[in-house]
Amino acid sequence: MIINFDELNFDATDADTLQKYLDAMQNISEKANRLDKNAPQPKQYLYLCESVKACFDGIFGDGAGEKICGANNSLRACTNAFRELVAEYNHQMREQERANEALIAAMEVEKAVDTE
């Protein structure tokens, strides 16, 4: 997958990668819930950018967040990168679900043939 011109090896069907993704999503959700909505807007942007960058670091390793989102704290860059990651995850999960259904159907046909 490519985000902000950086190629990332992201296979959501790999058990280790999936666990990192789920942990990162849990972490970013918890951070979003702790956002101080009364803080000045630049401080909120900084907090959100740091949260997104930490999410990428958790999945792809230290430094990935800054590499993907940039050294600055552009909320637009961070949210665009995050949306692309989530969209790719959802795409891979939909494809895998179809593959799982096909595999189960083939196994059921094979089982039926074996019992005849």
Side-chain angles (χ1 to χ4, degrees):
M1 95 182 253
I2 297 177
I3 297 179
N4 291 341
F5 307 105
D6 284 313
E7 187 170 351
L8 302 170
N9 182 14
F10 181 66
D11 179 1
T13 66
D14 173 73
D16 292 334
T17 302
L18 178 58
Q19 189 61 59
K20 289 177 186 177
Y21 177 86
L22 295 174
D23 290 346
M25 290 300 119
Q26 178 66 35
N27 192 13
I28 202 165
S29 176
E30 290 169 1
K31 287 181 177 183
N33 288 330
R34 290 192 303 262
L35 175 66
D36 180 2
K37 293 180 175 81
N38 295 318
Q41 200 167 20
K43 189 172 182 178
Q44 291 180 33
Y45 282 19
L46 177 62
Y47 180 80
L48 291 169
C49 287
E50 289 173 348
S51 298
V52 169
K53 289 178 182 182
C55 172
F56 279 102
D57 286 350
I59 298 168
F60 300 105
D62 290 340
E66 189 167 306
K67 180 180 178 193
I68 294 163
C69 298
N72 295 330
N73 290 299
S74 166
L75 188 57
R76 180 181 49 192
C78 291
T79 54
N80 285 343
F82 184 77
R83 282 194 342 244
E84 288 182 48
L85 174 65
V86 171
E88 180 62 22
Y89 168 81
N90 289 333
H91 171 74
Q92 288 185 25
M93 288 294 108
R94 282 190 306 273
E95 281 187 346
Q96 189 58 49
E97 184 62 31
R98 286 191 295 272
N100 292 352
E101 289 169 1
L103 176 62
I104 290 167
M107 292 170 69
E108 288 173 352
V109 168
E110 183 64 31
K111 184 179 177 182
V113 169
D114 287 345
T115 58
E116 291 179 357

